[in-house]
Amino acid sequence: MVLPSVATRYLFFTGKGGVGKTSLSCATGLALADAGKTALIVSTDPASNLDEVLGVRLSGVPTAIPGAPGLSALNIDPEAAAQAYRERMVSPYRGVLPAAAIRNIEEQFSGACTVEIAAFDEFSKLLGDPAATAGFDHVLFDTAPTGHTLRLLTLPSAWDEFISSSTGGASCLGPLAGLEKQKALYAATVKRLANAQETTIVLVARADASALREAERTRGELRDLGIENQTLIINGLFCDDALGDPVAQAMSVRASEALADMPAALKRLPRSVIPFLPRGTVGLAALRALAHPETAPPPSDVATPQTDLPPALDALVEDIAAAGHGVVMTVGKGGVGKTTVAAAIALALAKQGHKVVLSTTDPAAHLAATIDGAVPGLTVTRIDPAQEVRRYTQEVLDKASPSLDAAGRALLEEDLRSPCTEEIAVFRAFAHTVEQGREGFVVLDTAPTGHTILLLDAAEAYHRDVMRTQGDMPEAVRQLLPRLRDPAYTRVLVVTLPEATPVHEAERLTGDLTRAGITPYAWVVNQSLLASGATHPLLRQRGAYETPFIRRVADDLAPRCALIPWLTQAPVGEAGLAGVIASAADGGRRREEAMS
């Protein structure tokens, strides 16, 4: 077995979106169960796909996995946890206080911070209280993409500091009212995370420069939190540079260079390597193959499927450019290439002479590493949470100070130290960025799915929260949702990979967007080996596996569809990103050669 040895009761699988955290946590849990252990897999990801990978409908309580005695799993659903938490806090007052007072209390629990607090509350019960998982030898946490995970891990300190310094009256004290009694549990949670005898952090990455950068950032930030017991998994390593196949050669070279350039501290961690597998990792059989790749049969040289493929991205860019201004948003599951697609579109629009702002709301923000240098007409920005909090805090204090005495200002400052302030500040910055689409193009590389939906759903909660901190509702915020819902102003591109989980996740995302009144403009299927012209048997087998997912998107799901092949030149810098836009001709030529 190539998975890491399990020496602790608790394991956290974390890393950049799309690196395979869910698959590896499930494969590890299944391997433990097959070895006679009992294991519980817990997802803390708002966009969890544990159900699909394990093939069973999950809930917030442990569910036994058919076909895997000893293995159970559960999802921590942030919205459901928030609803239960909200009702637990409000119900004692129903029938006791007037209806207006009840509405005011419910309002106190309506913001995004309540969702975050409630999710952490559920997480802490599992990690901080051994009795909650007493029936299991091991508990494995399939965590959300890194930015969310780090926020989750730092919450104990943030909330504990806020509770201990609060003197009463702050807006967050509604949601926090139920937490004071939990302080001992949260302290135990932090202690257990940092205890190397009990907890192991598994950093998951691919042999890719951006994924390894993210793993190194995570390693350092966890170390700063006192969490030192870390191990590294390199997932999906392809290392067969077969002569005559430029795709296989490029994949091998790119992986070798990324591993050679790995930060020194990351290299020193204990490491496991999972080889490239030609099929997906959905279902118990696929998970067992992932845990034991040595049992996989040699790849068969399958025929390249005869199917019409969607066009390249250039046609979509021409349609977008014709509008002259507006917002383009790339959305989708973490790791599908939203940053690359956003950067390529922004660069193409700028090359046509348009004024373009390329920005991100993603906490993990990799835009700077994608575009290497100044491009006329293109401005690259990032919505930085720390900077936005400072700006928003100062703005609120400057406006309110003339009407406050010293005690009132102290109370407002206390309120603004709450972690909820970040949500408000980031939301304002997002709205102001979208507003810039009136004068030119704004291309937004958005955060992974769960975070994005929470952000888009936050308008009414934002309004209530900002009124409590004596701020203003800027016009940009008032106009945000109407602008996002206007297909002439905002074009949403759903980015996916030609695989089961990313396509199904994107399909769920489009449903969420539709319910929010936002209609996707097009779908982009990224990194297709089928379209690449690869001739290596393993890569051809993987390409054949992609066919039904490409057809599902093109025929059933997408009003418009574009396909980007796996590119032999990395999609970084002007030349690499230009290939993302006009990639169909070369890939198609090599695909025809492969078919013949």
Side-chain angles (χ1 to χ4, degrees), residues 206-396:
R206 295 192 183 274
D208 170 82
S210 65
L212 290 169
R213 275 196 307 271
E214 187 68 16
E216 168 60 14
R217 186 178 74 88
T218 304
R219 183 204 61 77
E221 295 195 20
L222 291 173
R223 179 205 59 206
D224 292 343
L225 292 169
I227 301 171
E228 301 274 5
N229 192 20
Q230 303 178 35
T231 186
L232 176 67
I233 294 181
I234 304 296
N235 189 26
L237 180 64
F238 184 87
C239 55
D240 184 356
D241 56 349
L243 295 177
D245 185 354
V247 176
Q249 291 173 348
M251 289 183 76
S252 291
V253 169
R254 205 178 295 176
S256 297
E257 291 177 347
L259 292 176
D261 294 338
M262 190 190 312
L266 205 59
K267 284 183 178 179
R268 289 194 292 268
L269 293 180
R271 187 192 314 176
S272 301
V273 175
I274 310 294
F276 178 91
L277 298 176
R279 303 191 64 81
T281 53
V282 174
L284 299 187
L287 293 172
R288 288 189 171 101
L290 180 62
H292 299 278
E294 70 281 0
T295 65
S300 56
D301 193 2
V302 300
T304 301
Q306 302 272 351
T307 184
D308 292 331
L309 296 180
L313 197 56
D314 54 359
L316 289 183
V317 172
E318 291 304 315
D319 285 347
I320 292 168
H325 71 96
V327 173
V328 178
M329 290 199 341
T330 56
V331 302
K333 180 179 170 63
V336 297
K338 297 186 299 295
T339 299
T340 297
V341 172
I345 292 172
L347 182 63
L349 291 171
K351 289 290 188 182
Q352 293 187 22
H354 296 284
K355 178 183 175 183
V356 183
V357 173
L358 172 62
S359 188
T360 182
T361 63
D362 192 334
H366 302 288
L367 281 179
T370 303
I371 295 183
D372 56 356
V375 177
L378 176 62
T379 302
V380 180
T381 67
R382 178 192 170 207
I383 297 175
D384 180 80
Q387 180 179 337
E388 296 305 330
V389 165
R390 287 193 296 271
R391 181 182 293 127
Y392 174 69
T393 298
Q394 192 59 51
E395 178 184 324
V396 172

Side-chain angles (χ1 to χ4, degrees), residues 460-473:
E460 292 185 9
Y462 167 90
H463 176 73
R464 289 189 289 267
D465 281 342
V466 81
M467 290 302 104
R468 284 198 293 271
T469 55
Q470 304 184 32
D472 289 322
M473 173 75 85

Side-chain angles (χ1 to χ4, degrees), residues 291-568:
H292 299 278
E294 70 281 0
T295 65
S300 56
D301 193 2
V302 300
T304 301
Q306 302 272 351
T307 184
D308 292 331
L309 296 180
L313 197 56
D314 54 359
L316 289 183
V317 172
E318 291 304 315
D319 285 347
I320 292 168
H325 71 96
V327 173
V328 178
M329 290 199 341
T330 56
V331 302
K333 180 179 170 63
V336 297
K338 297 186 299 295
T339 299
T340 297
V341 172
I345 292 172
L347 182 63
L349 291 171
K351 289 290 188 182
Q352 293 187 22
H354 296 284
K355 178 183 175 183
V356 183
V357 173
L358 172 62
S359 188
T360 182
T361 63
D362 192 334
H366 302 288
L367 281 179
T370 303
I371 295 183
D372 56 356
V375 177
L378 176 62
T379 302
V380 180
T381 67
R382 178 192 170 207
I383 297 175
D384 180 80
Q387 180 179 337
E388 296 305 330
V389 165
R390 287 193 296 271
R391 181 182 293 127
Y392 174 69
T393 298
Q394 192 59 51
E395 178 184 324
V396 172
L397 289 173
D398 288 347
K399 180 170 184 180
S401 288
S403 61
L404 295 176
D405 58 17
R409 181 182 172 91
L411 185 61
L412 180 57
E413 288 175 344
E414 175 184 290
D415 199 3
L416 290 169
R417 288 198 302 271
S418 116
C420 307
T421 299
E422 182 178 311
E423 295 292 337
I424 300 173
V426 169
F427 193 81
R428 283 164 55 99
F430 177 76
H432 285 297
T433 302
V434 168
E435 186 177 41
Q436 295 178 64
R438 297 167 59 193
E439 307 296 331
F441 283 104
V442 172
V443 182
L444 278 165
D445 165 34
T446 59
T449 307
H451 180 84
T452 301
I453 293 300
L454 289 175
L455 189 66
L456 296 180
D457 280 348
E460 292 185 9
Y462 167 90
H463 176 73
R464 289 189 289 267
D465 281 342
V466 81
M467 290 302 104
R468 284 198 293 271
T469 55
Q470 304 184 32
D472 289 322
M473 173 75 85
E475 185 62 20
V477 176
R478 295 183 190 277
Q479 295 298 323
L480 177 60
L481 280 180
R483 284 171 175 155
L484 294 178
R485 289 168 175 158
D486 180 359
Y489 190 91
T490 300
R491 289 170 175 81
V492 175
L493 303 184
V494 178
V495 184
T496 189
L497 299 176
E499 303 170 19
T501 298
V503 169
H504 297 159
E505 176 64 29
E507 189 172 1
R508 287 194 293 269
L509 170 59
T510 59
D512 291 337
L513 290 170
T514 301
R515 283 189 290 276
I518 301 170
T519 303
Y521 167 73
W523 284 51
V524 178
V525 181
N526 193 24
Q527 298 180 16
S528 169
L529 281 167
L530 177 62
S532 72
T535 58
H536 188 285
L538 202 62
L539 303 186
R540 285 167 67 108
Q541 189 173 343
R542 180 68 179 193
Y545 165 78
E546 295 175 356
T547 305
F549 306 111
I550 294 173
R551 294 262 54 89
R552 168 73 173 150
V553 172
D555 299 339
D556 302 327
L557 299 176
R560 300 173 186 82
C561 183
L563 182 70
I564 302 172
W566 197 97
L567 301 170
T568 54

